[in-house]
Amino acid sequence: MAYLDITHVEKSFGANHVVKDFNLDIEKGEFVSLLGPSGCGKTTVLRMVAGFETPSAGSISIEGKDVVALRPNQRNIGMVFQAYALFPNLTVAQNVGFGLRIAGVPASEANARVTEMLRLIGLPDLGARYPFQLSGGQQQRVALARALAPKPRVLLLDEPLSALDAKIRVSLRTEIREIQRQLGITTIFVTHDQEEALSISDRVVVMNAGIADQVGTPFAIYNHPATKFVAGFVGTLNSFDATVTDATTGAIRLGDTPITLNKPLNASAGSKIAVALRPEAAQLGRSDLREIALNGRITEVHFMGSIIRISAEVAGTRLSLDTFNRADTPPPPIGTDVEIGVSARDFIVLGS
Amino acid sequence: MDQMTTAAPRARRRRNLWSWIAFTLGVAYFVLPLIGMFEFSLRKRRDAYSFDAYTSILGDPQFQQTFLYSLVMSLVTVVLGLLLVLPTAFWVRLKLPAMRPVVEFITLLPLVIPVIVIAFGYIRMFNTSSFLPMTGSIMGTNILLAIGYATLSLPYMYRAIDNGLRTIDVGTLTEAAQSLGAGWLTILYRIMLPNVYTAVLSGAFLTISIVLGEYVFAALLDRPALGPYMVWVGGNKAYEPAALAVIAFAVTWGLMGLIQAMSRLSKHTRVAR
Ligand SMILES: Nc1ncnc2c1ncn2[C@@H]1O[C@H](COP(=O)(O)OP(=O)(O)O)[C@@H](O)[C@H]1O
Ligand SMILES: [Mg+2]
């Protein structure tokens, strides 16, 4: 039995079935992200764990005890909201100490804890300020400290970085992850940003229309997407229609190029299947690592600094590939015919 | 083109002139009677201006008693109104946003229904031969009066507090507090009330000024309030009513000034949210 068990949870708002047979086991100290497009039910799952919504069916238990019947203020779960939600009438220190005060922690102990938390979030001197005197990033850090101060059993974060500037978003997510590791607190992090989810999570749950399509490590999610949706939503993907020539050996034909995937396919010879390739699995020109050469024509070149993303037309479809910038080789001009090296083992066969 | 450039400033100057005239007329409309009343209130002594009318009013034990009574009643009314309105407005914003227009309409009813109707209704409901004979004792009548005043203050209290709640994110703040272990009372008292403090104060001061001047309720329930006293003075003295009116006016403006001062003093609202 895991630390936090979400088992067969369903949620409907009237006729709107928002969460469908949701299952998730989280170990103590794990950092799990719920990733999915807006409206797919991430917030609803989080709110059911927090106690703000009641599941239509299923159970949620923490440390083996079902919490569904408990009110939010009885669950001892910390929550951080997208809109910060600091109490405007209280100073930073009072905000952080709010949960301790409610819990009846003696003042001296509470003050020590508040000081400790403010140091943890890197704002040791701002205790006397009011929320309106802080930047967005600072406010969200205070909200994190406030949620963590009463030592909750689980920490929930609902798109905590969405309202912030790109730069702060990246630095704060690293900081959140560091603090989470330091405290070893079990955490669920909701985001619609795949880069965010992949970069800081132990495991990622990719959600699609109320269903958890895949649960796995960022590495597994990215390299072995279980569904077409996951493959398309996480990272950039080049997808091609190919014709099966031999299902048992996995032989397919991509345009004029025969490719042997060396794994059995669940399709009959002559039928069409979808295969996909990550941009980093293709390169300009042949190489020893990439045994297959596809013919293509350059259609777009995006210089992004250390990486150059090139689009080419291959077998009637667009293929994006990434190359590292090198000062001695400028990218090819648009319209050039090129050979693109790929490898059979990098092809992802897309399921339904 | 040339014509337009010269015509535009002239038109603006003319419009300016008219708005000045309107403004002056408006000020005269409000200020002249006040000046006249003030001047009249100073003429109690025959040969010179004096504050005799004021000392006569302020020294009258009747005035002191009724003023104190009404002041205490107004404070009770404020507390009663707050206990009734804050949780209601909070709950409606949190759980029943669709009901807000309905609740707002109900709170406006005291402005539409004449006070005398409400007062007679109360007296009929709670007279000595009713199921709850509140008019049977002085304390009961006082309580009934405070409840009546709270009804009269509903439109102001509800609007003020509801407006105050609009400036904060009631839903998310409530959930944040709940996740930190707070119950409803804590949320109302520690989070909602402090954040609508200025709004509550302005509702409170409006309530106080209404209660201080109220006549119908107090007269029908036969309580020694300031309203009936003012009417009595008006019917029996010459210069004192004017002095009383000026005093009432000063109290009202003093309260308005306090509202302004309070909203400046509140620490966390110095910057617009
Ligand atoms: N309280 C509610 N009442 C009715 N529908 C809701 C409620 N909360 C969420 N929904 C609906 O549930 C769906 C999922 O919402 P949500 O969990 O907020 O998605 P996400 O957080 O992934 O963007 C949406 O279609 C939304 O309209
Ligand atoms: Mg959401």
Side-chain angles (χ1 to χ4, degrees):
Chain A
M1 175 144 280
Y3 185 72
L4 170 62
D5 272 333
I6 305 175
T7 318
H8 298 302
V9 162
E10 309 265 345
K11 180 68 186 178
S12 301
F13 293 106
N16 190 2
H17 200 170
V18 171
V19 175
K20 296 158 194 160
D21 194 21
F22 191 91
N23 293 284
L24 183 62
D25 292 353
I26 303 182
E27 295 302 330
K28 195 166 171 54
E30 216 182 350
F31 190 112
V32 174
S33 289
L34 304 186
L35 172 66
S38 163
C40 72
K42 309 179 294 290
T43 297
T44 306
V45 170
L46 211 64
R47 289 171 59 80
M48 287 192 284
V49 175
F52 299 127
E53 305 284 357
T54 313
S56 309
S59 78
I60 300 171
S61 61
I62 301 175
E63 295 173 308
K65 288 205 189 69
D66 197 314
V67 297
V68 169
L70 295 182
R71 277 179 271 128
N73 58 352
Q74 300 169 323
R75 291 193 186 191
N76 193 14
I77 289 178
M79 181 125 181
V80 175
F81 302 84
Q82 181 180 339
Y84 320 140
L86 294 180
F87 305 127
N89 57 308
L90 302 181
T91 63
V92 165
Q94 288 168 335
N95 263 286
V96 175
F98 187 84
L100 301 169
R101 207 169 148 192
I102 301 280
V105 175
S108 60
E109 199 180 311
N111 289 342
R113 178 91 179 136
V114 168
T115 311
E116 181 193 334
M117 295 315 297
L118 289 179
R119 194 164 333 117
L120 189 67
I121 57 165
L123 304 174
D125 304 323
L126 300 189
R129 293 234 186 133
Y130 281 93
F132 78 85
Q133 296 167 314
L134 303 180
S135 72
Q138 290 173 328
Q139 289 191 50
Q140 198 57 299
R141 273 187 250 197
V142 174
L144 179 67
R146 180 181 67 175
L148 290 172
K151 303 191 173 152
R153 297 189 288 179
V154 177
L155 176 66
L156 308 176
L157 304 111
D158 191 358
E159 312 219 8
L161 306 172
S162 299
L164 301 172
D165 301 340
K167 234 186 190 132
I168 296 168
R169 207 149 58 208
V170 173
S171 64
L172 190 51
R173 82 183 182 211
T174 316
E175 221 171 300
I176 289 177
R177 176 57 157 154
E178 267 167 20
I179 290 171
Q180 183 270 337
R181 275 220 181 90
Q182 222 170 313
L183 301 181
I185 184 162
T186 313
T187 302
I188 307 181
F189 182 97
V190 161
T191 179
H192 63 262
D193 182 335
Q194 43 113 1
E195 187 195 316
E196 213 166 272
L198 295 180
S199 64
I200 59 173
S201 312
D202 289 319
R203 281 190 301 155
V204 176
V205 180
V206 184
M207 288 185 68
N208 175 24
I211 297 169
D213 262 24
Q214 187 174 5
V215 183
T217 61
F219 186 82
I221 297 270
Y222 187 83
N223 292 303
H224 309 290
T227 68
K228 208 168 185 165
F229 174 82
V230 175
F233 190 76
V234 178
T236 309
L237 203 65
N238 301 298
S239 107
F240 304 93
D241 281 331
T243 313
V244 179
T245 48
D246 183 355
T248 47
T249 61
I252 58 169
R253 185 172 284 280
L254 181 62
D256 297 331
T257 319
I259 297 170
T260 307
L261 300 176
N262 284 323
K263 54 187 167 193
L265 296 171
N266 192 11
S268 57
S271 65
K272 295 263 184 202
I273 59 163
V275 294
L277 212 53
R278 295 287 184 196
E280 64 270 26
Q283 74 178 87
L284 285 181
R286 290 164 180 271
S287 89
D288 299 342
L289 288 170
R290 320 234 194 248
E291 73 280 4
I292 302 161
L294 302 172
N295 292 315
R297 170 170 295 171
I298 306 284
T299 54
E300 277 173 51
V301 175
H302 291 289
F303 188 80
M304 303 197 299
S306 64
I307 284 180
I308 304 170
R309 176 156 289 184
I310 294 170
S311 294
E313 195 180 298
V314 174
T317 35
R318 201 180 102 131
L319 182 152
S320 288
L321 62 91
D322 290 347
T323 62
F324 283 111
N325 172 46
R326 278 170 46 187
D328 54 356
T329 32
I334 290 170
T336 325
D337 286 320
V338 290
E339 281 193 317
I340 294 167
V342 298
S343 171
R345 65 176 185 280
D346 289 330
F347 277 95
I348 301 164
V349 178
L350 298 180
S352 54
Chain B
M1 186 66 213
D2 215 343
Q3 257 178 343
M4 265 181 70
T5 45
T6 52
R10 203 183 302 149
R12 204 176 310 133
R13 225 174 298 136
R14 205 175 305 141
R15 226 176 304 134
N16 256 336
L17 184 67
W18 278 113
S19 44
W20 272 110
I21 291 175
F23 178 71
T24 315
L25 280 176
V27 168
Y29 184 79
F30 284 110
V31 171
L32 282 182
L34 267 179
I35 294 176
M37 189 169 68
F38 182 60
E39 196 263 353
F40 183 71
S41 72
L42 299 177
R43 292 208 328 218
K44 187 174 168 74
R45 205 175 292 173
R46 197 162 294 170
D47 40 358
Y49 284 143
S50 74
F51 284 100
D52 283 5
Y54 292 86
T55 42
S56 145
I57 284 284
L58 295 175
D60 184 352
Q62 276 271 90
F63 169 80
Q64 293 163 0
Q65 280 159 18
T66 55
F67 185 80
L68 189 67
Y69 177 85
S70 284
L71 197 63
V72 171
M73 285 307 284
S74 70
L75 295 179
V76 173
T77 306
V78 166
V79 173
L80 206 61
L82 189 60
L83 287 178
L84 183 69
V85 170
L86 182 62
T88 309
F90 168 69
W91 199 252
V92 168
R93 279 216 169 252
L94 191 66
K95 301 275 183 183
L96 307 164
M99 288 290 287
R100 222 166 62 79
V102 178
V103 175
E104 205 170 297
F105 176 74
I106 293 173
T107 62
L108 285 179
L109 283 180
L111 288 183
V112 182
I113 301 172
V115 180
I116 194 149
V117 175
I118 304 177
F120 266 119
Y122 275 14
I123 292 171
R124 263 199 74 77
M125 282 291 285
F126 303 110
N127 64 23
T128 41
S129 55
S130 73
F131 69 103
L132 193 62
M134 290 184 74
T135 56
S137 68
I138 288 181
M139 204 52 203
T141 316
N142 284 341
I143 293 172
L144 193 59
L145 187 58
I147 292 173
Y149 285 159
T151 309
L152 295 187
S153 74
L154 262 186
Y156 312 98
M157 273 306 232
Y158 185 83
R159 292 201 150 223
I161 291 179
D162 192 51
N163 267 331
L165 289 177
R166 204 184 48 191
T167 63
I168 57 174
D169 184 349
V170 171
T172 317
L173 289 184
T174 301
E175 288 182 353
Q178 280 179 315
S179 74
L180 292 165
W184 293 117
L185 271 183
T186 311
I187 293 170
L188 271 175
Y189 179 69
R190 294 253 180 85
I191 307 297
M192 296 305 147
L193 184 60
N195 278 303
V196 298
Y197 201 58
T198 6
V200 167
L201 276 179
S202 68
F205 288 142
L206 277 172
T207 303
I208 292 173
S209 68
I210 289 170
V211 170
L212 284 183
E214 207 285 328
Y215 171 77
V216 178
F217 251 121
L220 282 177
L221 288 175
D222 195 25
R223 298 307 301 141
L226 188 61
Y229 171 77
M230 289 203 279
V231 172
W232 177 83
V233 170
N236 294 281
K237 306 253 175 150
Y239 301 99
E240 281 79 354
L244 197 51
V246 172
I247 291 172
F249 200 77
V251 169
T252 309
W253 277 90
L255 291 177
M256 294 295 163
L258 274 182
I259 296 176
Q260 289 297 320
M262 290 294 187
S263 56
R264 297 259 163 78
L265 278 180
S266 143
K267 263 179 279 175
H268 57 275
T269 48
R270 241 178 275 151
V271 161
R273 274 189 298 265

